[in-house]
């Protein structure tokens, strides 16, 4: 074969290689430019630096040590996919809400077996906290609607959706005192659960009080890091509110020499505390929505990383903040000491928001992203 013929055969191959190289270079240039532009875009937040305490170990002996107490929890009802909170009426019927607005009622037979769930009401919002008042009305904190009252026939009344002339942005959880006063959390003035708020690491939550006699709502405490679960002590001398993003429970004093002040009741929890309930012994049960996420702690200690992450669209970050598939609930003494922890390392139960003690069982509720349905486990120790 002649030299000219050989050159004629190689020329197309050389041209193809050049085209591929140019395409790759163009693509790399676009990627580099994209990264530069992304980094130059101003962040929507100005994060506060925080060095989170080292998370408790699940491996060392002690009350945090990993076990499988929650792993054998049985389904009570799978009608609500995300039963955020669980409560019972005076007849022992269970009530729980779902993220689509429906509130379900579950009765039990003489042997304690759950019956089919029935829809009790539909708030057309997102009912989170729910507790019965002395008159048999179901008082509900609805993320979208505010503080609601639902009478036994299912009729809904808005008790409060504003405070001091401003909206109640995200009514979350509640408890009711013997005098009828309702204590509830307004989680954040962001108005929704967003990754940006977590990255920003600044307090936007409040603890509120509604007086049914005057129908007035007042602010008791501000500057809370994602105000969440609320519960009164047995003597009603203080009320607790969970600060999910700082892994702690804050105590607000209602009586005594410390009345009107607040302090830390329990800190350095092994995850994000959600709802808090009280049992007949005066002990507190805390649902841990997810165990600690190492990248979140790293982000809090690095404001540049946090501000950069906040530029990413929320839809792309939902998976990053999803709960770990490790179910966890903890029991605290009336003084805030950790009595024990209940785990499901197998991930059958996870995304725990509520642990409610009732008639010898621990009932477990969850939120979107967690395992579906209400479950329960016998309270044997």
């Amino acid at each position: 074969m002649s030299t000219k013929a050989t050159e004629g055969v190689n020329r197309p191959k050389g041209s193809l290689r050049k085209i591929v190289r140019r395409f790759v270079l163009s693509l790399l240039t676009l990627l580099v430019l994209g990264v530069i532009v992304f980094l130059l875009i101003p962040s929507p937040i100005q994060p506060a630096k925080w060095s989170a305490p080292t998370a408790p170990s699940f491996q060392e002996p002690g009350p945090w040590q990993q076990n499988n107490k929650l792993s054998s929890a049985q389904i009570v009802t799978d009608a609500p996919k995300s039963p955020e909170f669980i409560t019972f009426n005076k007849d022992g019927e269970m009530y729980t809400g779902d993220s689509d607005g429906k509130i379900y009622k579950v009765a039990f037979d003489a042997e304690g077996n759950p019956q089919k769930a029935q829809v009790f009401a539909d708030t057309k919002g997102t009912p989170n906290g729910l507790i019965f008042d002395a008159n048999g009305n179901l008082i509900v904190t609805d993320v979208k609607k505010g503080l609601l009252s639902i009478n036994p026939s299912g009729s809904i009344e808005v008790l409060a959706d504003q405070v001091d002339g401003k909206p109640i942005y995200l009514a979350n959880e509640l408890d009711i005192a013997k005098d009828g006063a309702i204590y509830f959390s307004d989680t954040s003035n962001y108005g929704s659960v967003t990754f940006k708020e977590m990255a920003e690491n600044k307090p936007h939550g409040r603890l509120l009080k509604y007086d049914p006699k005057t129908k007035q709502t007042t602010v008791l405490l501000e500057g809370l890091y994602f105000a969440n679960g609320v519960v009164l002590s047995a003597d009603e001398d203080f009320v607790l509110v969970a600060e999910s993003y700082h892994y702690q429970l804050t105590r607000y004093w209602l009586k005594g020499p410390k009345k009107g002040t607040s302090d830390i009741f329990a800190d350095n929890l092994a995850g994000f505390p959600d709802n808090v309930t009280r049992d007949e012994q005066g002990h507190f049960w805390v649902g841990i929505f997810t165990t600690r996420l190492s990248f979140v702690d790293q982000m809090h200690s690095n404001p540049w990383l946090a501000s950069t992450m906040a530029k990413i669209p929320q839809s792309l970050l939902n998976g990053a903040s999803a709960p770990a598939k490790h179910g966890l609930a903890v029991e605290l003494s009336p003084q805030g000491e950790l009595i024990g922890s209940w785990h499901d390392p197998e991930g059958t139960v996870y995304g725990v928001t509520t642990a409610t003690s009732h008639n010898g069982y621990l009932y477990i509720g969850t939120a979107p992203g967690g395992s579906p349905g209400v479950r329960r486990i016998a309270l044997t120790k």
Side-chain angles (χ1 to χ4, degrees):
M1 185 179 292
S2 68
T3 303
K4 290 183 178 180
T6 304
E7 290 175 352
V9 172
N10 290 338
R11 191 176 296 118
K13 293 181 179 180
S15 299
L16 182 60
R17 283 196 293 270
K18 288 180 181 179
I19 292 172
V20 171
R21 280 199 299 269
R22 287 173 182 170
F23 175 77
V24 171
L25 286 172
S26 298
L27 184 60
L28 289 174
T29 301
L30 287 173
L31 288 173
V32 171
L33 287 173
V35 170
I36 292 173
V37 170
F38 175 76
L39 293 175
L40 290 176
I41 293 174
S43 175
I45 63 170
Q46 293 182 326
K49 185 176 181 178
W50 179 55
S51 296
T54 302
S57 171
F58 291 158
Q59 308 307 318
E60 297 177 3
W64 283 113
Q65 187 171 26
Q66 182 171 293
N67 53 62
N68 61 356
K69 290 182 178 180
L70 287 182
S71 299
S72 57
Q74 300 296 307
I75 282 284
V76 175
T77 175
D78 59 2
K81 301 306 177 188
S82 303
E84 168 83 19
F85 196 80
I86 299 165
T87 195
F88 295 84
N89 66 10
K90 62 182 181 180
D91 297 323
E93 295 170 321
M94 186 188 80
Y95 287 72
T96 186
D98 205 352
S99 57
D100 64 357
K102 293 183 179 64
I103 295 174
Y104 292 89
K105 176 177 74 172
V106 177
F108 297 83
D109 64 20
E111 285 73 41
N113 300 310
Q115 305 301 293
K116 185 178 180 180
Q118 298 178 339
V119 175
F120 166 68
D122 189 343
T123 67
K124 306 297 182 183
T126 304
N128 274 16
L130 55 169
I131 294 180
F132 284 93
D133 67 11
N135 298 318
N137 299 310
L138 185 62
I139 308 302
V140 177
T141 37
D142 189 292
V143 168
K144 299 176 181 177
K145 304 291 185 177
L147 184 66
L148 311 177
S149 176
I150 307 178
N151 68 19
S153 65
S155 179
I156 301 173
E157 175 190 359
V158 177
L159 298 180
D161 56 11
Q162 291 189 350
V163 57
D164 295 338
K166 296 181 180 179
I168 294 173
Y169 298 98
L170 202 161
N172 199 331
E173 300 298 338
L174 79 161
D175 200 0
I176 303 177
K178 295 182 181 69
D179 65 1
I182 302 168
Y183 297 88
F184 65 108
S185 56
D186 184 14
T187 293
S188 169
N189 58 18
Y190 268 68
S192 62
V193 180
T194 69
F195 184 85
K196 289 179 183 177
E197 181 179 3
M198 186 189 298
E200 185 184 38
N201 189 39
K202 291 181 180 178
H204 296 281
R206 304 181 290 184
L207 176 65
L208 309 180
K209 176 185 177 181
Y210 175 81
D211 186 335
K213 298 175 183 176
T214 64
K215 301 186 185 303
Q216 296 297 309
T217 304
T218 54
V219 179
L220 298 181
L221 197 57
E222 296 182 286
L224 300 173
Y225 291 88
F226 202 85
N228 210 325
V230 173
V231 68
L232 288 154
S233 66
D235 295 330
E236 298 189 355
D237 54 342
F238 63 81
V239 59
L240 298 179
V241 56
E243 293 189 78
S244 299
Y245 289 168
H246 269 200
Y247 319 131
Q248 65 189 24
L249 304 183
T250 292
R251 171 172 49 193
Y252 181 84
W253 289 96
L254 300 172
K255 300 176 183 177
K258 296 181 181 180
K259 180 179 178 180
T261 66
S262 64
D263 54 22
I264 302 301
F265 181 75
D267 62 359
N268 196 26
L269 299 175
F272 295 72
D274 206 300
N275 299 327
V276 190
T277 62
R278 191 188 71 249
D279 65 18
E280 293 179 351
Q281 296 175 282
H283 294 179
F284 300 104
W285 290 88
V286 186
I288 305 295
F289 179 65
T290 181
T291 53
R292 298 274 275 271
L293 303 172
S294 59
F295 89 91
V296 171
D297 288 347
Q298 293 168 5
M299 182 176 64
H300 284 156
S301 64
N302 187 330
W304 179 86
L305 176 60
S307 62
T308 301
M309 291 288 290
K311 300 178 188 179
I312 300 174
Q314 175 74 25
S315 59
L316 299 179
L317 291 169
N318 289 336
S321 54
K325 289 191 175 182
H326 182 126
L328 180 60
V330 298
E331 181 184 6
L332 301 173
S333 75
Q335 293 74 40
E337 298 172 352
L338 181 65
I339 295 174
S341 56
W342 293 55
H343 297 248
D344 177 15
E346 300 167 11
T348 302
V349 180
Y350 62 96
V352 175
T353 53
T354 297
T356 300
S357 173
H358 180 76
N359 279 355
Y361 286 96
L362 189 65
Y363 287 79
I364 302 297
T366 58
S371 54
V374 175
R375 296 172 186 263
R376 70 179 181 181
I377 184 80
L379 275 169
T380 54
K381 303 204 176 169

